[in-house]
Amino acid sequence: MKFRKQKESFNKIELAPLIDVISFIVIYFLMNATLEKNTALKVELPRSSSVAKEKQKDELVITVDKQGKK
């Protein structure tokens, strides 16, 4: 005599894993929201009284021909 296998119906949603996942997501977003506010720091940069002059760079041009001579 053959026994039939009972098919499990998936009409029921397990609430315990769903609640766990949702609680972890809520905690994650709450932690990120509170940490983001505390990381901003106001920094006052010093002001210069004179305009900085750019240094002129000394240029050196070297030309070499196919024979390796200058």
Side-chain angles (χ1 to χ4, degrees):
M1 175 158 41
K2 290 187 178 181
F3 292 106
R4 292 185 191 175
K5 291 183 180 179
Q6 292 181 353
K7 293 184 181 180
E8 292 183 25
S9 64
F10 293 103
N11 296 335
K12 207 190 238 185
I13 296 176
E14 295 291 331
L15 289 180
L18 183 65
I19 292 171
D20 289 343
V21 170
I22 290 174
S23 64
F24 282 127
I25 290 172
V26 168
I27 290 170
Y28 174 78
F29 283 116
L30 286 174
M31 291 296 291
N32 282 336
T34 57
L35 291 176
E36 187 175 327
K37 291 179 184 176
N38 295 334
T39 56
L41 297 175
K42 291 184 180 181
V43 177
E44 293 183 26
L45 298 175
R47 304 270 182 194
S48 65
S49 60
S50 64
V51 178
K53 296 180 181 178
E54 287 187 28
K55 294 181 180 178
Q56 294 181 352
K57 296 180 181 177
D58 295 331
E59 292 184 16
L60 178 63
V61 179
I62 299 175
T63 56
V64 180
D65 61 2
K66 289 182 183 180
Q67 297 171 355
K69 296 181 181 178
K70 292 184 183 180

